[in-house]
Amino acid sequence: MSSSVEPASLGPAPADSELSRLSRISREEALEKLMVTYGDRVLHLAYFYLKDRQLAEDVAQEVFVRVFRTWDRFRGDCSVSTWICTITTNLCRDRLRSPWWKRIVLGWDFRENCESGDAEAEALEAIKRQSVYQAVLTLPVQYREVIALFYYQGMTAGEIGALLKESQGTIKSRLHRARALLKDRIGFEAREEVEGL
Amino acid sequence: MNRDYMEEQLGSLPQQARREHPDWKFSERLRQGVRDRLQAPEPKPQQRRVGWGLGTAAAAAVVLLALALGNLVPSGPVGSGGVKLQAERQAERSAGPQAVEDKTDDLKMAQAESTGRNSIAAAPRTLEATKATGVFPADRAAQASVAGLFRVNGDLNGGRVPVEAVRLFRGQLPGDGKQAWWKPGEGELVGSVLEGSVRSGDLLILFLVPAATGSDLRGLAGEGGIATYTSAEGAGGALRVDLEKNTATSAQGSFDLRQLEAALVNKP
């Protein structure tokens, strides 16, 4: 695997009391605490990328393996949360770039999409379920990614830019485009008319 | 207003995610999987380069079927057998159809003798009793697809089966050695993957089954969870091997067994 798991430079880290707490216990104990604290979040974030529960579980496990193995190298340049998010993002992106994914997984994804109809049908389904979450999952990965990091992970555009090695302007542009796509797909205007918003 | 509404909706994404998947937790099972992976050695950088592709964790499980294809291919080291087969096939083609049939029988007998498996010669044309780590749900098994071919380079010994890649048909192999599933670079398949029926010279077909995790496999395999694939619709109809038609068919498509010969001859 050619993943780059070094945390992105996210600027000065906030006073991370969590890190200082973790540094006082063994690496094994720290891992257990981190898995309990961040496991669910990592799992869901990975799902935003991969759209497959088992794949997300697999990546989430790999994230904590990386956390454990690179713990000594983590210098606290960013918060533990951001560091773990960075590893998750890198692993997911690696997975999406891998030939295996392209040849195998996307093949299945494609077939699934064929079975469930096209993007329009997916969007209609999302409307039916009244779930923005579902609609987000239908976005192309570059937009899904920024939406997940911004709204789910609670990162700023600057932090996302540092993580993805893109300019802040690019991230803002992608966010704007992602919102526009969501608007098109979910049909907020139509819903607002119906709901009298 | 419009944007505000959308912002509100997007702002509740974490809550929506939890609501959509209330049972999705990084459970003890997954945490145990992490601990298990940490027990396994890290793949060496050189192994990553050679393209075994085992750095990708086993989001898709690997199913290895040991097919008794002795009647199609001779036993022996990879490559040499294939070359021999090709030469014999050429001779067969020049000698006509009857010679082909005779030669095939000869090959069957030679294979049976070389492996000590007399049952091969008498094996039905449609194979049965192939085995795999069928620890995934049947619906997953039904999505199995052929990934590659391997030749066993030694008898089953203590659960480790030395194998050599003959041909990969589908990209990288999943599994990273961290899951005690496949040991990259050492040419070994590790774990209680195959049971007893594997002998040197057997040809293995590697199947990919999506979305069965390595930890699932390991746990269930440890409990003896071995599924048997039959020629018809065994284990979710994952595989049908038909030697009459020279095909191995899964729900994801059909694989031409005649490629075996080419794969053996043109070993990467």
Side-chain angles (χ1 to χ4, degrees):
Chain A
M1 203 178 305
S2 60
S3 115
S4 166
V5 296
E6 292 300 322
S9 174
L10 298 174
D16 196 348
S17 58
E18 182 180 25
L19 179 59
S20 59
R21 277 201 309 276
L22 291 169
S23 63
R24 287 196 290 271
I25 58 178
S26 72
R27 200 161 56 151
E28 288 75 12
E29 289 173 317
L31 174 69
E32 295 297 326
K33 285 186 182 298
L34 290 172
M35 286 197 293
V36 169
T37 306
Y38 296 107
D40 293 355
R41 205 163 185 83
V42 166
L43 184 61
H44 282 278
L45 179 59
Y47 184 77
F48 271 111
Y49 277 92
L50 304 169
K51 299 200 293 182
D52 181 287
R53 179 178 178 177
Q54 279 75 24
L55 288 174
E57 287 183 350
D58 193 66
V59 164
Q61 288 185 319
E62 184 66 17
V63 166
F64 289 105
V65 169
R66 294 293 179 97
V67 164
F68 184 84
R69 288 187 169 149
T70 58
W71 180 250
D72 292 340
R73 279 180 269 162
F74 177 51
R75 299 183 302 274
D77 294 336
C78 58
S79 69
V80 174
S81 169
T82 301
W83 180 53
I84 291 175
C85 175
T86 303
I87 295 174
T88 307
T89 301
N90 284 337
L91 284 175
C92 287
R93 287 160 69 96
D94 279 353
R95 189 65 65 92
L96 291 171
R97 279 195 295 260
S98 73
W100 173 80
W101 171 274
K102 287 171 182 167
R103 293 185 194 181
I104 305 290
V105 179
L106 286 190
W108 278 314
D109 194 33
F110 173 74
R111 277 184 285 273
E112 285 170 5
N113 285 339
C114 286
E115 288 168 8
S116 63
D118 55 16
E120 192 177 349
E122 285 184 26
L124 287 171
E125 178 65 19
I127 294 170
K128 208 187 306 177
R129 299 178 67 162
Q130 295 191 324
S131 166
V132 172
Y133 174 80
Q134 289 292 334
V136 169
L137 292 176
T138 69
L139 293 175
V141 67
Q142 70 267 33
Y143 301 124
R144 202 162 72 233
E145 175 179 64
V146 292
I147 289 286
L149 292 172
F150 190 82
Y151 290 103
Y152 183 79
Q153 200 63 25
M155 298 174 79
T156 66
E159 288 172 332
I160 297 170
L163 193 157
L164 302 181
K165 297 181 175 59
E166 300 281 3
S167 72
Q168 189 172 335
T170 300
I171 300 303
K172 284 183 175 175
S173 170
R174 283 186 194 169
L175 279 169
H176 177 77
R177 178 73 183 137
R179 290 189 199 102
L181 282 171
L182 281 173
K183 189 174 167 183
D184 287 344
R185 293 193 176 192
I186 298 186
F188 274 102
E189 288 172 335
R191 284 180 56 188
E192 285 176 7
E193 284 175 16
V194 172
E195 296 168 9
L197 290 172
Chain B
M1 190 67 169
N2 207 5
R3 172 164 179 155
D4 289 344
Y5 179 70
M6 185 153 57
E7 284 294 325
E8 182 187 313
Q9 290 291 305
L10 286 168
S12 66
L13 212 52
Q15 291 79 11
Q16 288 182 52
R18 281 197 295 274
R19 204 162 49 235
E20 290 276 344
H21 311 294
D23 60 329
W24 286 16
K25 305 284 184 191
F26 199 72
S27 61
E28 174 55 29
R29 175 180 67 86
L30 294 174
R31 293 197 291 274
Q32 185 58 46
V34 173
R35 296 177 200 116
D36 290 346
R37 290 190 193 194
L38 286 168
Q39 298 300 314
E42 285 187 85
K44 297 171 189 172
Q46 187 177 3
Q47 291 165 355
R48 292 173 185 153
R49 277 204 306 274
V50 297
W52 281 95
L54 301 171
T56 52
V62 180
V63 179
L64 200 72
L65 298 183
L67 298 182
L69 292 175
N71 51 352
L72 280 182
V73 291
S75 64
V78 176
S80 63
V83 172
K84 180 183 173 188
L85 182 68
Q86 185 190 42
E88 287 173 348
R89 291 289 191 202
Q90 286 172 343
E92 289 162 7
R93 278 193 290 273
S94 60
Q98 184 58 47
V100 170
E101 192 174 323
D102 293 343
K103 198 66 182 176
T104 303
D105 289 337
D106 290 343
L107 279 171
K108 282 185 195 172
M109 294 306 295
Q111 170 71 10
E113 287 169 9
S114 66
T115 60
R117 299 169 71 192
N118 293 329
S119 60
I120 289 177
R125 293 293 289 170
T126 301
L127 292 174
E128 292 188 6
T130 55
K131 290 190 175 182
T133 51
V135 292
F136 32 79
D139 61 332
R140 296 289 183 189
Q143 295 178 326
S145 62
V146 177
L149 298 173
F150 295 84
R151 170 78 76 187
V152 177
N153 280 337
D155 287 353
L156 181 68
N157 181 18
R160 295 188 169 207
V161 185
V163 295
E164 183 173 350
V166 174
R167 170 63 62 87
L168 299 180
F169 290 97
R170 291 178 187 269
Q172 292 180 307
L173 297 174
D176 59 1
K178 296 174 184 174
Q179 303 189 22
W181 169 256
W182 178 266
K183 213 166 182 179
E186 298 183 15
E188 285 185 334
L189 189 70
V190 179
S192 51
V193 177
L194 302 162
E195 282 194 337
S197 62
V198 179
R199 296 290 184 273
S200 183
D202 276 359
L203 202 65
L204 307 178
I205 297 183
L206 194 71
F207 279 79
L208 300 177
V209 178
T213 67
S215 52
D216 288 340
L217 286 167
R218 199 171 39 253
L220 289 165
E223 296 165 9
I226 300 294
T228 298
Y229 284 75
T230 69
S231 59
E233 295 297 319
L239 175 71
R240 178 186 179 90
V241 177
D242 188 334
L243 296 186
E244 291 291 349
K245 297 176 181 172
N246 276 324
T247 56
T249 306
S250 77
Q252 296 300 312
S254 188
F255 164 72
D256 188 353
L257 290 178
R258 284 170 295 194
Q259 291 184 34
L260 293 177
E261 297 171 38
L264 285 168
V265 173
N266 303 312
K267 185 170 75 85

